């Protein structure tokens, strides 16, 4: 379980986070709400989600992903 809500990761930080977590096989919950993420993070997010098979809960509420970005995720 990793709760990074309100961490102000922004797009650059979330990309770095996913690089660090790329080999993780046990993370089941990831909370990234209120981190100033924008649509620029969407490709990085979808790539991470497609490769991570242990994640059961993923929260990106209250970011600036737009409806287009959310639909892609």
């Amino acid at each position: 379980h990793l709760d990074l809500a309100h961490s102000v990761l922004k797009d650059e930080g979330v990309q770095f986070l996913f690089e660090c977590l790329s080999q993780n096989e046990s993370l089941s919950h990831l909370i990234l709400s209120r981190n100033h993420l924008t649509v620029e993070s969407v490709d990085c997010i979808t790539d991470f989600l497609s490769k991570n098979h242990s994640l059961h809960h993923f929260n990106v509420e209250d970011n600036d992903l737009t409806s287009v970005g959310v639909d892609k995720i």
Side-chain angles (χ1 to χ4, degrees):
H1 187 106
L2 183 57
D3 185 347
L4 294 173
H6 303 275
S7 297
V8 194
L9 290 174
K10 299 185 179 179
D11 297 325
E12 300 83 17
V14 81
Q15 182 176 358
F16 179 72
L17 172 68
F18 290 152
E19 288 173 14
C20 293
L21 292 174
S22 66
Q23 301 300 315
N24 184 291
E25 296 179 358
S26 62
L27 183 65
S28 62
H29 290 73
L30 180 57
I31 301 171
L32 298 175
S33 59
R34 299 181 182 161
N35 271 287
H36 303 281
L37 305 180
T38 70
V39 71
E40 292 181 30
S41 295
V42 170
D43 288 340
C44 179
I45 292 170
T46 56
D47 185 54
F48 174 76
L49 292 175
S50 71
K51 295 175 181 174
N52 186 299
H53 302 290
S54 63
L55 201 62
H56 298 288
H57 178 82
F58 182 68
N59 184 332
V60 289
E61 68 185 3
D62 293 326
N63 282 291
D64 300 317
L65 296 171
T66 74
S67 60
V68 172
V70 172
D71 287 345
K72 286 185 177 182
I73 296 171

